Amino acid sequence: MNSQVKNNELNHVSVELTAEEALALTGVRFNGNPKVKAAARQKVRDAFEKTFDFSHQDKVDYELLK
């Protein structure tokens, strides 16, 4: 992962999920509410963005592609 840590916590990212959201991330499907998995994934993504700096990944180093 090519990212820079914003704080000193290198090994932990905390996310508060509902029981349904946690189950959805393990592969359980909620046919009545398909947005459960999307909401859980968004919470995880937001937590990573708060912890790591991904802004420099927008640029492609074309020398590495050769």
Side-chain angles (χ1 to χ4, degrees):
M1 177 184 297
N2 295 330
S3 61
Q4 296 181 3
V5 178
K6 287 184 180 178
N7 59 30
N8 292 333
E9 294 209 21
L10 297 175
N11 299 321
H12 301 283
V13 175
S14 297
V15 179
E16 187 171 331
L17 301 172
T18 65
E20 288 181 346
E21 290 170 338
L23 285 172
L25 290 178
T26 65
V28 175
R29 293 186 183 193
F30 292 91
N31 293 331
N33 191 358
K35 294 183 181 181
V36 173
K37 186 174 183 178
R41 292 179 72 179
Q42 186 62 47
K43 285 182 180 181
V44 171
R45 186 176 297 120
D46 291 344
F48 268 88
E49 288 176 357
K50 288 179 184 175
T51 306
F52 299 100
D53 179 17
F54 293 103
S55 61
H56 68 280
Q57 288 186 339
D58 293 339
K59 299 176 184 175
V60 175
D61 187 2
Y62 291 101
E63 294 297 320
L64 295 175
L65 296 175
K66 293 181 182 180

